[in-house]
Amino acid sequence: MKFFKTGLAVLALALLAACSSPAKSGQQNQSSKTYPAPTINLKTTLFKSQNGKTKLQFTISDNAKFTLRDRDAADKVLVSGTGTGKQQTINGGLKQGVLTLEAKAHGKTTTKTLTVVDSAGSSTRILPVNEMGLGPNDAYGLRITSVTHQLDTTGQALVTKGTLRKNLSVQITVEYANYSQTAAFLPTPDQFTITGPFLAPATVPANQVGTTKIEPGGYASTTFWAVFGNAGVVVGAGMHLQLAYQGPGMSEPLLYQATTK
């Protein structure tokens, strides 16, 4: 009888272990499951503003939380919501500039950079700082984001080296995007012509920081410098410059106007 009771106890423990093991294994598998990053699919990264209205169409993974921000307005939130896995549309008066669309799910984040811009070239207007100009067939674009007489460490090193002249140089930062151009895109210093007050010409050295050639859908920035050798030109804050960019396939340059900071 004692042996019989002992056998029942052992059998009961074995059955309990057998029943509990699959559940524990299932919990481990569930907790260790790897989820992919949410997806953002866009018909294009370029949205042309017409009559103040811009249609933004996108598809985001089902149940992913998304946020559309205005990068030019300190990442101000414009729209937020939840992806459905189907195409969604935002209609509104989105201002020209750069936006970011961000999707989050399962602790992972995916971000896309968007540009809202009029399809108008230099023949119609001179572009101010932070406004995107477009290349032929809207295949690529660029905008001047910063023009300053206060050189960073790289600029100061170029002064020491003799490439730039102290108190006669400006530093220019450009953001650029490739929308549909097959060839990788990178604006280079030799493609810019820069003039100052009284049409004083500047020399643009080949030096630049940020030399990423971007494929369609890419967005990047680059910094380069310009030197004024005219003794009548005073380089400092408040200096007015005109920048002409002659990029790939352009019959006429894009024209930009900026004031140094």
Side-chain angles (χ1 to χ4, degrees), residues 32-101:
S32 62
K33 183 176 181 180
T34 301
Y35 291 95
T39 58
I40 301 176
N41 294 318
L42 300 159
K43 183 177 180 180
T44 176
T45 56
L46 175 65
F47 304 94
K48 299 176 184 177
S49 180
Q50 297 177 343
N51 300 321
K53 297 291 184 181
T54 304
K55 180 182 288 188
L56 172 61
Q57 293 182 315
F58 58 91
T59 302
I60 291 180
S61 303
D62 192 22
N63 293 321
K65 302 295 182 182
F66 71 82
T67 306
L68 179 67
R69 290 186 172 88
D70 185 344
R71 206 181 76 179
D72 296 330
D75 284 333
K76 176 183 177 182
V77 176
L78 302 177
V79 180
S80 59
T82 303
T84 63
K86 299 179 180 179
Q87 188 177 80
Q88 295 172 263
T89 300
I90 296 175
N91 284 305
L94 299 177
K95 297 187 300 181
Q96 291 185 13
V98 177
L99 312 177
T100 55
L101 182 60

Side-chain angles (χ1 to χ4, degrees), residues 192-259:
F192 286 87
T193 301
I194 300 175
T195 55
F198 312 110
L199 299 180
T203 300
V204 185
N207 306 79
Q208 71 181 120
V209 174
T211 55
T212 302
K213 294 183 178 181
I214 55 174
E215 303 295 334
Y219 203 95
S221 68
T222 185
T223 296
F224 59 96
W225 294 266
V227 186
F228 289 89
N230 191 320
V233 174
V234 178
V235 175
M239 179 183 181
H240 299 294
L241 302 180
Q242 181 166 293
L243 304 93
Y245 174 74
Q246 189 87 35
M250 284 187 176
S251 58
E252 295 183 5
L254 289 171
L255 299 178
Y256 299 87
Q257 185 171 290
T259 303

Side-chain angles (χ1 to χ4, degrees), residues 143-181:
R143 64 177 189 159
I144 309 297
T145 60
S146 174
V147 177
T148 177
H149 73 289
Q150 298 178 338
L151 307 184
D152 62 12
T153 53
T154 301
Q156 292 172 7
L158 290 172
V159 171
T160 302
K161 186 178 179 181
T163 303
L164 303 181
R165 296 181 62 182
K166 186 177 181 180
N167 301 326
L168 286 176
S169 302
V170 294
Q171 180 172 296
I172 302 149
T173 300
V174 173
E175 291 186 345
Y176 55 102
N178 185 343
Y179 299 115
S180 60
Q181 180 170 272

Side-chain angles (χ1 to χ4, degrees), residues 14-29:
L15 288 173
L16 181 61
C19 292
S20 62
S21 294
K24 184 177 181 180
S25 176
Q27 290 173 356
Q28 289 176 342
N29 290 339

